[in-house]
Amino acid sequence: MNSLKRVIIFGATSAIAEQTARQLVAQGASLFCVGRNQQKLDGVLEDLRVRAGQNQCIDGVAADLTDNGKHEELVNAAEAFLGSIDGVLIAHGTLPDQQACQDDAAVALREIETNALSVISLLTFLANRLEQQRRGVIGVISSVAGDRGRQSNYVYGAAKGMVSLFLQGLRNRLAKSGVDVVTVKPGFVDTPMTASFEKSGPLWARPEQIASGIIKAMEKGRGVVYLPWFWAGIMLVIKLIPETIFKRLSL
Ligand SMILES: NC(=O)c1ccc[n+]([C@@H]2O[C@H](COP(=O)([O-])OP(=O)(O)OC[C@H]3O[C@@H](n4cnc5c(N)ncnc54)[C@H](OP(=O)(O)O)[C@@H]3O)[C@@H](O)[C@H]2O)c1
């Protein structure tokens, strides 16, 4: 079991990350939070400080995580604040307009930069740091969208698929150092990211449900976790559909 007492959260203003932060604080954790928007981050930090006990420390900094040149500095600042690192959650992301990505390669590449390359850059610093201390857990929010390319969102899917595959290799490497790497694959979650979606039906989950799944998976050091669990079955079926049939579907 990994004890999540000192945790860094990247993308801390995300709805899923904020719920995860609240649950971690309720368990007694100290947190270092990185979010893009200073005002939103201040609100999150203020809320977490109210929930925290006297011996818990909560702080953070604002940063655009596509600024890869700042990643090492961010990891250093987090480690200096927390003393050492028990866990890291990487949660930032954007859901692109697929049509805009099809019309303009620059838009597609920017989405790949945010959803994949910035994550890989951060993971490179974090992996080396945790490998040195020979303990800890890294959780990254990927997506079921990374399991198979679909016409409706294959740019986002390609970015998440890249992250999932990178994590697979990283997990394999860090297992030798006692560091766990958890790939989190949520299905549909009711957050600002999906604000424009019709949200009826049993497939939609609340961010707090996903948050408790993330914490359990990180504590247990699980490899890949679908949240909620039934997405593992859905994605198995989707992956098994032969390409000749898949091409005719409007997924
Ligand atoms: N919602 C779903 O259905 C769903 C499903 C599968 C996976 N996911 C993944 O879950 C994660 C959390 O998303 P969410 O659903 O909680 O949505 P959300 O509330 O919209 O959170 C997305 C967060 O990413 C941050 N962000 C985007 N670009 C950034 C950048 N360049 N630098 C720093 N932060 C940046 C946003 O910051 P700002 O506040 O500054 O915009 C926002 O806080 C994402 O990785 C997403 O891809 C979501």
Side-chain angles (χ1 to χ4, degrees):
M1 279 291 269
N2 294 304
S3 158
L4 297 174
K5 289 288 175 213
R6 285 164 291 196
V7 180
I8 315 174
I9 302 184
F10 292 97
T13 55
S14 112
I16 297 174
E18 189 179 356
Q19 291 301 324
T20 310
R22 284 186 186 179
Q23 293 180 24
L24 284 169
V25 165
Q27 292 184 186
S30 291
L31 303 181
F32 188 84
C33 299
V34 182
R36 177 168 55 179
N37 179 311
Q38 181 78 63
Q39 211 179 347
K40 274 201 220 169
L41 180 67
D42 287 344
V44 169
L45 293 174
E46 209 173 297
D47 172 77
L48 294 172
R49 286 188 184 115
V50 170
R51 294 164 188 271
Q54 278 182 345
N55 56 351
Q56 289 170 261
C57 306
I58 311 288
D59 205 358
V61 292
D64 184 329
L65 291 170
T66 56
D67 187 354
N68 298 339
K70 288 240 171 75
H71 289 174
E72 189 171 18
E73 193 186 305
L74 288 171
V75 175
N76 287 342
E79 194 176 24
F81 175 74
L82 293 170
S84 69
I85 305 165
D86 297 329
V88 182
L89 176 65
I90 301 181
H92 69 284
T94 47
L95 186 61
D97 176 338
Q98 173 64 29
Q99 189 60 51
C101 292
Q102 288 170 206
D103 294 343
D104 185 350
V107 177
L109 295 183
R110 199 174 60 228
E111 294 297 339
I112 300 281
E113 177 77 43
T114 304
N115 288 299
L117 302 185
S118 70
V119 176
I120 287 172
S121 167
L122 267 176
L123 282 169
T124 302
F125 290 112
L126 291 163
N128 292 339
R129 206 57 65 88
L130 267 60
E131 191 174 43
Q132 271 169 16
Q133 64 176 36
R134 299 192 70 79
R135 58 169 204 93
V137 52
I138 302 172
V140 182
I141 309 184
S142 181
S143 172
V144 294
D147 279 13
R148 187 164 191 177
R150 291 178 296 118
Q151 61 177 305
S152 58
N153 75 342
Y154 60 83
V155 173
Y156 177 71
K160 292 297 193 181
M162 195 194 307
V163 167
S164 295
L165 203 61
F166 186 92
L167 291 171
Q168 213 172 33
L170 189 63
R171 178 159 45 248
N172 195 207
R173 169 187 150 200
L174 293 185
K176 282 122 197 126
S177 317
V179 177
D180 291 316
V181 176
V182 183
T183 309
V184 179
K185 295 185 179 182
F188 299 141
V189 193
D190 184 358
T191 69
M193 182 175 275
T194 53
S196 62
F197 288 55
E198 174 58 45
K199 286 174 182 148
S200 55
L203 293 184
W204 283 89
R206 307 273 320 141
E208 47 271 39
Q209 262 177 281
I210 305 303
S212 65
I214 290 173
I215 294 172
K216 276 189 203 117
M218 287 179 69
E219 283 175 341
K220 288 184 184 159
R222 290 192 48 197
V224 179
V225 60
Y226 286 85
L227 294 173
W229 60 270
F230 53 75
W231 281 96
I234 294 173
M235 294 319 295
L236 182 66
V237 172
I238 288 185
K239 282 187 286 185
L240 285 174
I241 299 172
E243 205 58 40
T244 44
I245 297 172
F246 207 71
K247 277 196 286 191
R248 287 188 240 127
L249 304 177
S250 307
L251 287 171

